[in-house]
Amino acid sequence: MTICTEFAPAKINLSLRVGPLEDDGYHPIDSRVAFADFGDVLVFEPADQLYLEITGPFAGELPVQDNNLILQAARALARTSGISKGARIQLTKNLPVSSGIGGGSADAAATLRGLNRLWDCQLKLSELATIGASFGSDIPACLHGGWLRMRGRGERIENLPPEASFAAVLVNPGIAVSTAQVFGRFDQRLAPEQFGATEHQNDLSQAAISLCPQIADVLQALLEICEGANRPIMCGSGATCLAGFSSQDGARKAARDLQENHPNWWIQPVTIGQAPPL
Ligand code: C5P
């Protein structure tokens, strides 16, 4: 029997500039993005209807609901391709939920890729990206992968020349943060003319910290343990933060030390900009 497996890596906004709210209810962004070698895993098998099973460390935080992005992606692909097949989808949820590293978008992108193969829809990447963009701003980026620049709401993708991969540690304080709420707080705190005028690599940091002060604790802990060349950054709309290291051993040691002091934080050493050894 045909079985397709897709990897749904964490999306890392290495920089994120945000402009003022537009009439469509979204903010223009300008972001440099790469992907981690760590993420969720999805397995797709033929079935008469659509089924979704979720296992893995963060399965408990993600109930199987009708509005799950994976099911939305599957239905949208079936509709666009005029297909009435089903699929059994197994998600291993390794990424924390609502954590700024694009887990839901990565899962939706992986679903579009996986079912495009399983159902033999033969849609091009650009067509899958158009479907994905209709229900998640980050889905086109997650479909493309590699090193890229996102603009517009996130749907305008430009490939960037690949840079050297680097070791990093991802840290999440265990608090889900709503992307919509962070953008809403951003609107309250920053006047539109400030677009592009701040020194932060992530324009959403202050808004996210005001909703989830523990992000500041994570950034401080990373600042104390990182090797100094680059300041730690918050990822996306938070609460996950990232610090770069000069070696994987350095990242692993930092992750161990941090975990000892913060047993309730999710802490993951990763490599950014390199496909996983699947
Ligand atoms: O597109 P997505 O569902 O991921 O976005 C979640 C929410 O984040 C949107 O409803 C919107 O409020 C906000 N958002 C935004 N500008 C963007 C992307 C998202 O305001 N570029």
Side-chain angles (χ1 to χ4, degrees):
M1 199 194 332
T2 324
I3 294 184
C4 299
T5 302
E6 288 284 341
F7 180 55
K11 172 214 61 157
I12 307 296
N13 298 90
L14 298 167
S15 61
L16 178 57
R17 316 314 303 262
V18 179
L21 181 66
E22 294 192 337
D23 291 344
D24 62 3
Y26 286 80
H27 298 73
I29 65 160
D30 189 346
S31 179
R32 213 162 58 85
V33 171
F35 292 85
D37 64 343
F38 186 85
D40 297 339
V41 178
L42 291 90
V43 178
F44 305 88
E45 288 176 57
D48 51 349
Q49 292 175 34
L50 271 182
Y51 300 99
L52 174 61
E53 291 163 15
I54 308 180
T55 58
F58 290 101
E61 268 96 289
L62 191 65
V64 179
Q65 288 174 335
D66 217 37
N67 63 355
N68 184 292
L69 281 177
I70 291 174
L71 293 175
Q72 286 192 47
R75 286 195 214 101
L77 179 66
R79 211 170 33 245
T80 308
S81 318
I83 276 176
S84 56
K85 296 176 190 170
R88 182 175 298 280
I89 307 172
Q90 288 174 316
L91 165 67
T92 307
K93 191 75 202 155
N94 295 319
L95 297 173
V97 174
S98 295
S99 68
I101 50 180
S105 307
D107 293 345
T111 301
L112 292 171
R113 277 196 308 264
L115 291 181
N116 191 40
R117 284 201 287 145
L118 189 81
W119 292 341
D120 195 26
C121 304
Q122 302 196 8
L123 294 191
K124 291 189 287 219
L125 187 62
S126 58
E127 293 171 308
L128 296 178
T130 303
I131 297 172
S134 66
F135 56 89
S137 307
D138 287 345
I139 297 173
C142 292
L143 275 160
H144 278 79
W147 293 76
L148 47 90
R149 183 176 182 188
M150 294 166 71
R151 278 183 287 182
R153 291 181 181 189
E155 83 288 1
R156 278 174 47 208
I157 307 293
E158 193 184 312
N159 290 319
L160 294 178
E163 294 178 26
S165 61
F166 64 93
V169 177
L170 296 175
V171 181
N172 182 284
I175 296 161
V177 172
S178 152
T179 301
Q181 277 183 23
V182 172
F183 275 107
R185 183 58 65 91
F186 172 86
D187 294 335
Q188 293 164 10
R189 290 175 61 89
L190 295 177
E193 60 270 19
Q194 283 181 273
F195 181 36
T198 105
E199 285 176 17
H200 295 285
Q201 278 181 296
N202 184 338
D203 288 345
L204 295 178
S205 306
Q206 287 174 29
I209 289 170
S210 76
L211 287 168
C212 175
Q214 292 86 344
I215 293 170
D217 301 337
V218 171
L219 287 170
Q220 182 58 34
L222 282 170
L223 188 62
E224 285 165 14
I225 210 162
C226 77
E227 291 157 346
N230 294 307
R231 290 178 72 83
I233 51 167
M234 188 186 82
C235 301
S237 53
T240 306
C241 299
L242 168 143
F245 288 82
S246 57
S247 72
Q248 293 186 350
D249 281 350
R252 278 195 287 265
K253 180 174 184 324
R256 276 196 306 274
D257 292 350
L258 275 173
Q259 195 79 77
E260 247 171 54
N261 291 328
H262 303 280
N264 297 325
W265 288 1
W266 176 79
I267 300 174
Q268 182 64 48
V270 294
T271 302
I272 306 294
Q274 181 179 288
L278 272 187

